[in-house]
Structure formats: C-alpha cells, structure tokens
Amino acid sequence: MTIDELADKFEDGNRAILNKVVSKSNSYIQRIIYHLDVPSGVEYSQQDLEQTAKVMVVEALRNYDSSLDSKFSTYMYLRVRGGLISYMRKHDTLTRTQRNRAGAVSQAVHELSQELGREPSAREIAYKIEKEPSDVRRYIRQLNSRKSDERMED
C-alpha cells in the first residue's frame, strides 16, 4: 500500500497504520532535509531533524482530511517542510538581520578571497558590501562571540 492509501485508511488510535506511514515517510523526510537551506554556522544534528520531521508526519496524519481533493503525501510534505523550517528558526541563535549580515559578509569574504588570492581586510569586505569597516568588524565580533557561546553550552 502507498502512503496515500494508508493515510486514507487511518483512524485516530490505529497505531499499526500510523507506524507504517511513519516508516514509509523516511524517504520523503530524507529528501526534505536534503533540500532544506540550512543556515551556515548553524549545526543541527541529522537525528534531531529526522525526529522533528517524524513528529510532523504524525501530526500531518492526525490532521489530514481525506475528503479533500489532495493527496496525503503532498499535505505531509508541506507540513514536514514547514515544521522543519519553524524548528530551525526557533533554534537559531541569530536574528534574521544578523543572519543576513553574516551571509553578506561570508559571501564577500569568499568572493574577495577568490579574487585576491588571500584573506580580505575588513576595509575590502566593507567596500564590497557597502558598509563601514567598523560595522564589518562588529558583525564579525558578534558572530565569533555567538560561536564561542555555543561551544561553551556544549
């Protein structure tokens, strides 16, 4: 039976079907995790992402309405992907602004390193991203202090 056929037969409390759906969802889960845009500098264990995804599969199965005109696999995919994105946002130690700044600095460092054949200076990075060198140094200090704080928590 396909995952969609199993979902159509599911009634709350039927653990046998629930377990089969979770088992059959593994390839979907792996594909979703593979295609997620995990922010650089953030480490999520594969196991944490997989467990979160399995919880989302169970929630999707319990909330799925088979009378609607959509397949469970489509509904599940959207719920799992959305749940994983929420999980990553919740556990990200940087704000979106800080994450965007870090991405811009990281990209500029990479591009300039390729062009110059060496590590770029803060002034060169600042020119590339159209910021002041003092701002670039502050962004880098913030990122480094976050990384050091995270290592202390482990």
Side-chain angles (χ1 to χ4, degrees), residues 37-44 88 91-94 98-99 102-103 106 142-144 146-148 150-151 154:
D37 185 21
V38 179
S40 61
V42 179
E43 297 294 324
Y44 300 103
M88 290 189 305
H91 291 88
D92 191 353
T93 58
L94 298 178
Q98 290 170 325
R99 174 80 41 220
S106 178
Q142 287 174 340
L143 286 172
N144 288 337
R146 291 278 187 170
K147 287 179 184 176
S148 119
E150 288 170 9
R151 275 188 238 117
D154 290 341

Side-chain angles (χ1 to χ4, degrees), residues 16-51:
I17 289 180
L18 183 127
N19 289 337
K20 285 180 185 177
V21 168
V22 170
S23 176
K24 285 186 177 276
S25 70
N26 284 332
S27 62
Y28 288 94
I29 290 171
Q30 295 307 316
R31 196 171 327 129
I32 293 167
I33 291 172
Y34 177 79
H35 289 287
L36 277 178
D37 185 21
V38 179
S40 61
V42 179
E43 297 294 324
Y44 300 103
S45 79
Q46 182 76 12
Q47 187 176 12
D48 285 346
L49 293 175
E50 288 172 2
Q51 289 303 315

Side-chain angles (χ1 to χ4, degrees), residues 88-116:
M88 290 189 305
R89 283 185 182 147
K90 180 180 177 186
H91 291 88
D92 191 353
T93 58
L94 298 178
T95 65
R96 271 192 199 168
T97 302
Q98 290 170 325
R99 174 80 41 220
N100 290 340
R101 287 178 186 156
V105 169
S106 178
Q107 176 142 0
V109 167
H110 176 74
E111 290 172 5
L112 288 168
S113 294
Q114 295 294 316
E115 290 172 25
L116 303 170

Side-chain angles (χ1 to χ4, degrees), residues 107-108 111-112 115 123-131:
Q107 176 142 0
E111 290 172 5
L112 288 168
E115 290 172 25
R123 184 179 305 270
E124 290 165 327
I125 297 167
Y127 181 78
K128 178 89 171 170
I129 64 171
E130 300 175 352
K131 297 287 183 190

